[in-house]
């Protein structure tokens, strides 16, 4: 496999798992002689007076931009208005930066409804996934309710070079540990020189798609 995505029920901890894996991998890189790097972005809740008021995207280098806020304007997902221009201003450069650091891990959290209101986002994601000399993608996908489809999510899930893991409250700590080990072993073998990682330890957590 070349890329790995986490899926699971809302609130199960997909973003926390991705951030944890990225943090552990980064710490191991800094403590060793591995010639590798991490990039990309994750989604973070914004809270006001104890209530969720929206979402930001945050790059691994700490830059932040608004993704969505409470509102009635369109485009909308539930009670949140998506700020496409703000999202694109940070997400697209973050995706493009993968070309500058091919030997490593690139976080994409997530390929979901809000992000897909940007017409430029998914082509940029595919560009990274298709790049045989590019980084390994560590991403997240929403789990879809029966009868509902998001074609872009299905397209990513169906790729032969993508492994989708289903995160649960029971397995999330073990998934994090195993994923860190697998990715570090992959980077130690050369990362971009050896594009495929050994997924055998992760197969028990594979999602049934």
């Amino acid at each position: 496999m070349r890329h790995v995505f986490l899926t699971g029920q809302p609130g199960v901890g997909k973003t926390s798992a991705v951030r944890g894996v990225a943090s552990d991998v980064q710490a191991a890189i800094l403590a060793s002689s591995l010639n590798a790097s991490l990039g990309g972005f994750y989604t973070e809740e914004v809270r006001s007076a104890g209530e969720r008021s929206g979402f930001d995207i945050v790059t691994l280098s700490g830059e932040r931009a608004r993704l969505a806020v409470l509102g009635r304007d369109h485009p909308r997902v539930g009670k949140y208005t998506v700020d496409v221009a703000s999202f694109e201003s940070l997400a697209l450069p973050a995706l493009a930066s993968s070309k500058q650091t091919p030997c490593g891990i690139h976080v994409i959290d997530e390929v979901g409804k809000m992000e897909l209101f940007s017409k430029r986002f998914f082509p940029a994601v595919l560009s990274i996934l298709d790049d045989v000399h590019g980084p390994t993608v560590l991403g997240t996908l929403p789990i879809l309710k029966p009868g509902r489809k998001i074609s872009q999510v299905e397209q990513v899930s169906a790729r032969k070079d993508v492994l989708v893991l289903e995160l649960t409250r029971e397995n999330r700590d073990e998934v994090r540990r195993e994923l860190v080990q697998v990715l570090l072993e992959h980077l130690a073998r050369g990362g971009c020189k050896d594009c495929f990682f050994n997924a055998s330890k992760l197969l028990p957590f594979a999602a049934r798609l």
Side-chain angles (χ1 to χ4, degrees):
M1 291 293 175
R2 288 200 62 227
H3 310 293
V4 59
F5 283 77
L6 304 182
T7 192
Q9 296 295 333
V12 76
K14 297 186 292 295
T15 293
S16 294
V18 164
R19 291 182 65 181
V21 169
S23 177
D24 291 350
V25 170
Q26 184 66 64
I29 290 173
L30 293 174
S32 70
S33 58
L34 282 176
N35 181 23
S37 58
L38 275 76
F41 67 89
Y42 58 88
T43 304
E44 185 174 82
E45 286 188 0
V46 177
R47 304 188 76 85
S48 177
E51 299 291 332
R52 187 167 67 188
S53 59
F55 299 89
D56 284 352
I57 63 164
V58 186
T59 66
L60 268 61
S61 60
E63 297 174 280
R64 180 182 296 268
R66 178 182 297 170
L67 171 59
V69 294
L70 288 170
R72 297 179 178 274
D73 295 333
H74 291 277
R76 252 176 92 188
V77 175
K79 57 185 179 180
Y80 299 99
T81 295
V82 180
D83 190 335
V84 175
S86 174
F87 169 71
E88 289 185 338
S89 72
L90 189 55
L92 296 180
L95 293 173
S97 71
S98 69
K99 303 292 185 181
Q100 302 168 11
T101 54
C103 297
I105 309 298
H106 211 74
V107 173
I108 304 177
D109 173 41
E110 72 175 349
V111 181
K113 289 181 181 179
M114 290 184 178
E115 295 82 2
L116 290 169
F117 277 115
S118 165
K119 301 302 182 186
R120 301 165 63 192
F121 171 64
F122 192 61
V125 171
L126 291 181
S127 178
I128 299 176
L129 295 178
D130 291 339
D131 187 354
V132 295
H133 300 296
T136 292
V137 170
L138 170 61
T140 62
L141 298 170
I143 200 162
L144 302 180
K145 296 179 180 179
R148 294 190 178 183
K149 295 183 179 182
I150 300 177
S151 62
Q152 295 92 334
V153 172
E154 293 181 328
Q155 189 174 339
V156 171
S157 300
R159 291 177 62 106
K160 293 183 179 180
D161 59 354
V162 166
L163 176 64
V164 181
L165 307 179
E166 184 167 359
L167 207 66
T168 66
R169 296 185 185 277
E170 291 74 27
N171 73 12
R172 59 191 180 187
D173 292 337
E174 187 177 2
V175 168
R176 173 177 169 173
R177 288 193 299 269
E178 294 290 355
L179 192 48
V180 168
Q181 182 177 353
V182 166
L183 292 177
L184 286 174
E185 290 174 354
H186 170 58
L187 294 175
R189 290 197 306 271
C192 59
K193 296 179 182 179
D194 180 10
C195 292
F196 294 87
F197 61 83
N198 184 346
S200 59
K201 294 180 180 179
L202 301 175
L203 292 180
F205 313 110
R208 297 181 180 180
L209 302 172

